[in-house]
Amino acid sequence: PKAVPSAPAPRKLVGRSLDGVQMRSIDWLWVGWVPKGYITIFAGETGAGKSTVLADITARVTTGAPWPGEVAAASRQPGRVLWLGSEDSIEEMTVPRLTACGANLENVVEIQGVTQQGKRSSFSMQDDLEAVSEWLAFAEADGRPFAMLVIDPVTSYLPGQKLRKVDLNDAGQLRSILEPWLALAQKHNLAIVCVTHFAKDTARSMLHRVLGSAAFAQTCRSLCAVIERPAPKDTEPDPHAKALVQVKVNLPEHPGGSWKFRTEKVELGVDPRNNMWIGVEKGPR
């Protein structure tokens, strides 16, 4: 006889009285820009410099170097960064960028994918949250917690076993994937930085140009955009002139405004395989 599937267990409400809740302040990775315990979105046009800015932020996290606007003597305890990136080659783009920005590469760990029954497969934000939580818990127990998780771009890691094709315009689908990661960030006091692109409709505001559903902008607590700075009238645009703009923040201590910076190309050495120079765009220091 065929087994009869059991009925799903009934759903029960979970709640608590707020009179016993201990208030706490926001813990910032970068005050006003990147909070711990929440999701931050970095958006921008293709080639605007999002990954270059993230390399600079990672360098400051992993070395304890001061943030923009801080006095040179300011320093913090260096932190560790989990890096999940699919668009750029780690060997050809990511490591050279991090090196150019002065990152401590010992404090950067790349998630290369997952294995299941001896087979390698791609990372999924739907399926692999528990595996990341185990890594974070192990690092905390070892006294070397992670301070930041970079997901670049977030759209590459949305598909999974339950939703194999994710509709970026479906707010319900996106929330079902993103909200468990917000709980993970709270549990481990982790700053999650997700990178995405702008839609091509330049007539819309930056807030509404974030690629996909408004769920991206609604789930994050800080939304930043990396843009090319507009050139003064009657002058040629400078492709190295950039700005990091605060588009939205739903937390105290938000700075507003933007940081202006310039990128520059630097040469890091010679590839011994072909005697070619290794060059990369470096962000601001």
Side-chain angles (χ1 to χ4, degrees), residues 31-259:
V31 175
W33 294 88
V34 181
K36 285 188 172 184
Y38 294 94
I39 295 174
T40 297
I41 298 285
F42 270 62
E45 306 280 5
T46 299
K50 302 182 294 297
S51 297
T52 302
V53 171
L54 267 180
D56 181 77
I57 290 173
T58 299
R60 297 175 193 271
V61 172
T62 58
T63 62
W67 295 106
E70 289 184 337
V71 296
S75 63
R76 296 166 310 283
Q77 185 72 21
R80 300 175 77 205
V81 175
L82 266 179
W83 192 283
L84 184 61
S86 67
E87 286 199 333
D88 295 326
S89 163
I90 289 291
E91 292 83 2
E92 296 173 359
M93 298 297 295
T94 304
V95 168
R97 280 195 190 112
L98 292 171
T99 300
C101 291
N104 180 354
L105 296 179
E106 290 185 0
N107 285 337
V108 185
V109 176
E110 178 198 8
I111 298 175
Q112 294 180 292
V114 296
T115 58
Q116 188 174 28
Q117 296 180 335
K119 294 184 179 180
R120 181 85 167 263
S121 61
S122 300
F123 184 92
S124 166
M125 292 181 70
Q126 294 181 47
D127 306 328
D128 299 317
L129 178 127
E130 287 303 320
V132 172
S133 185
E134 288 176 6
W135 269 30
L136 296 174
F138 179 82
E140 289 163 8
D142 197 40
R144 302 185 66 208
F146 286 97
M148 182 170 72
L149 166 63
V150 173
I151 306 176
D152 181 10
V154 63
T155 49
S156 290
Y157 301 101
L158 295 174
Q161 294 181 12
K162 185 177 181 181
L163 292 170
R164 296 189 178 276
K165 188 174 182 181
V166 178
D167 183 354
L168 293 179
N169 294 306
D170 187 322
Q173 286 188 9
L174 282 182
R175 279 202 192 92
S176 70
I177 299 170
L178 294 175
E179 287 183 353
W181 287 87
L182 178 59
L184 179 98
Q186 291 277 318
K187 178 180 178 181
H188 296 282
N189 198 31
L190 181 74
I192 299 180
V193 179
C194 296
V195 180
T196 189
H197 300 294
F198 274 156
K200 294 181 179 179
D201 185 0
T202 57
R204 304 173 72 185
S205 69
M206 282 192 283
L207 179 63
H208 296 102
R209 285 186 66 202
V210 175
L211 190 61
S213 165
F216 275 133
Q218 292 165 359
T219 304
C220 74
R221 285 297 175 265
S222 177
L223 173 57
C224 305
V226 181
I227 62 171
E228 292 187 2
R229 299 208 312 261
K233 189 176 180 181
D234 299 327
T235 62
E236 289 292 324
D238 181 352
H240 299 289
K242 314 282 187 176
L244 177 63
V245 181
Q246 185 98 62
V247 179
K248 164 204 163 180
V249 63
N250 285 353
L251 295 168
E253 301 179 68
H254 59 87
S258 63
W259 282 104

